[in-house]
């Protein structure tokens, strides 16, 4: 079954359709990418986990900033669209309000990792901000910091400082985005900590609907965050992550030049990834994925 809606975007993971009346249909697939290359093998339940995680966090954060989700129940989406969803989209599809997106990625970092650590090693800064000396990989920062980046139409996003973000979106929007995202991160990090995780960093997407700022796209998922088991973090070493890092590590050990086509993923790698996505969702939310839509899809 296909759906009779104009497709307006196909990303590494998500498909986006114009649902009319200022609405979009967003579908999270089971695709997984690494080094900007999409793997051939799907990761079981990944799309359901990303969607269920986003819905959970939108519910938890609604008092800080509203989300754009209209419906996730397949029956409700079918009624709203006047046509049925493909069965495989159950639990992976969200009907959302279309927003005027801020042209920046709103990243909050509570720990030193990834590109931020690489910049720190080079220059002692993070997104151009001077940092204390002597920090190690996976060290906790004195306080979480708002570290925006550009949204590149082609190629990689570029890390920028707050002044550059102001230049892109204006002072009022940048200050509001920083305030909102720091509060959201604090709430999410506290919840993750209760479940035995460290939320090292995460990326938020903000946009405007009817003049008000809203939380858009995916929220605090394993694709948009660094999530570490708290009892296994040793500063100075790379923590074992509950994100795509095991996939990146496996690929890095292969004789592959990081251009398509990628090597075929063995079953143990895809199975381990699926289990990590599900475990992170269930431990942090306290919900079972089997209770989410599309359990048999």
């Amino acid at each position: 079954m296909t759906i009779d809606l104009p497709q307006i975007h196909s990303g590494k993971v998500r498909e986006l359709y114009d649902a009319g009346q200022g609405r979009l249909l967003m579908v999270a697939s089971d695709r997984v990418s690494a080094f900007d290359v999409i793997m051939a093998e799907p990761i079981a339940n990944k799309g359901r986990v990303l969607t269920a995680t986003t819905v959970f966090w939108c519910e938890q954060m609604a008092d800080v900033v509203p989300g754009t989700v209209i419906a996730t129940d397949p029956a409700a989406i079918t009624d709203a669209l006047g046509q049925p969803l493909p069965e495989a989209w159950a639990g992976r599809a969200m009907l959302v309000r279309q927003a005027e997106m801020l042209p920046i990625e709103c990243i909050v970092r509570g720990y030193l990792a990834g590109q931020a650590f690489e910049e720190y090693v080079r220059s002692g800064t993070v997104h151009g901000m001077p940092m204390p000396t002597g920090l190690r990989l996976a060290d906790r920062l004195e306080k979480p910091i708002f570290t925006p980046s550009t949204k590149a139409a082609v190629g990689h996003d570029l890390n920028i400082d707050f002044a550059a973000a102001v230049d892109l979106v204006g002072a009022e929007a940048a200050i509001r985005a920083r305030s909102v995202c720091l509060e959201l991160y604090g709430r999410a990090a506290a919840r993750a900590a209760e479940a035995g995780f460290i939320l090292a960093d995460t990326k938020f997407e903000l946009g405007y609907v009817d003049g008000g700022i809203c939380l858009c796209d995916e929220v605090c998922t394993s694709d948009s965050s660094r999530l570490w088991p708290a009892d296994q973090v040793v500063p100075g070493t790379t923590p074992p992550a509950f994100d795509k890092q095991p996939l990146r590590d496996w690929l890095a050990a292969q004789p592959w030049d990081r251009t398509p086509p990628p090597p075929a993923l063995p079953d143990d790698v895809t199975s381990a990834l699926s289990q990590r996505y599900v475990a992170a969702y269930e431990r942090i939310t306290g919900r079972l994925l089997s209770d989410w839509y599309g359990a048999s899809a």
Side-chain angles (χ1 to χ4, degrees):
M1 178 192 295
T2 58
I3 197 161
D4 185 21
L5 293 175
Q7 185 172 5
I8 57 179
H9 180 70
S10 180
K12 294 186 181 75
V13 174
R14 286 171 178 76
E15 311 291 342
L16 201 59
Y17 299 84
D18 185 351
Q21 302 174 31
R23 305 171 304 176
L24 300 171
L25 185 67
M26 185 181 300
V27 184
S29 73
D30 288 346
R31 296 191 297 269
V32 67
S33 67
F35 306 118
D36 290 327
V37 177
I38 299 172
M39 303 295 111
E41 297 79 12
I43 306 303
N45 288 309
K46 179 172 179 280
R48 293 177 61 235
V49 168
L50 298 183
T51 305
T53 301
T54 293
V55 169
F56 170 81
W57 283 117
C58 284
E59 293 170 356
Q60 298 296 310
M61 297 169 171
D63 61 316
V64 179
V65 61
T68 58
V69 178
I70 298 171
T72 53
D73 183 338
I77 296 175
T78 292
D79 288 345
L81 298 180
Q83 57 177 306
L85 289 179
E87 184 178 352
W89 289 5
R92 296 175 171 86
M94 296 192 301
L95 186 65
V96 302
R97 292 178 292 169
Q98 187 168 10
E100 180 185 350
M101 302 298 294
L102 284 181
I104 56 172
E105 305 280 9
C106 297
I107 304 164
V108 178
R109 304 180 189 273
Y111 289 74
L112 193 59
Q115 291 181 0
F117 176 69
E118 294 170 4
E119 179 188 337
Y120 176 77
V121 170
R122 289 193 309 268
S123 61
T125 62
V126 171
H127 287 242
M129 293 181 287
M131 303 296 290
T133 59
L135 293 179
R136 299 162 296 176
L137 175 65
D139 265 340
R140 184 176 183 175
L141 301 176
E142 183 179 357
K143 60 181 180 180
I145 55 176
F146 179 70
T147 55
S149 73
T150 64
K151 290 183 179 180
V154 178
H156 298 285
D157 298 337
L158 298 177
N159 292 343
I160 58 176
D161 60 16
F162 187 73
V166 169
D167 289 341
L168 285 172
V169 304
E172 182 179 354
I175 291 169
R176 172 69 169 148
R178 180 175 61 184
S179 173
V180 164
C181 292
L182 286 171
E183 185 168 356
L184 297 182
Y185 172 82
R187 184 170 298 193
R191 178 85 185 210
E194 292 174 0
F197 288 111
I198 287 173
L199 182 63
D201 54 48
T202 195
K203 177 186 71 176
F204 297 106
E205 297 269 9
L206 299 179
Y208 289 94
V209 176
D210 296 331
I213 200 162
C214 290
L215 187 58
C216 310
D217 202 10
E218 63 181 318
V219 183
C220 294
T221 70
S222 294
D223 274 9
S224 64
S225 312
R226 279 189 178 83
L227 194 65
W228 301 332
D231 60 355
Q232 298 179 46
V233 174
V234 179
T237 65
T238 301
F242 263 71
D243 55 20
K244 293 188 292 185
Q245 194 59 46
L247 171 62
R248 298 187 191 100
D249 293 343
W250 183 86
L251 289 169
Q254 309 308 308
W256 177 50
D257 63 0
R258 301 188 182 183
T259 61
L265 302 181
D267 290 345
D268 61 330
V269 171
T270 59
S271 176
L273 274 177
S274 177
Q275 291 170 17
R276 293 170 88 87
Y277 275 97
V278 174
Y281 167 75
E282 293 188 339
R283 284 174 57 180
I284 290 175
T285 67
R287 300 175 179 180
L288 296 176
L289 188 66
S290 58
D291 292 335
W292 182 248
Y293 306 113
S296 60

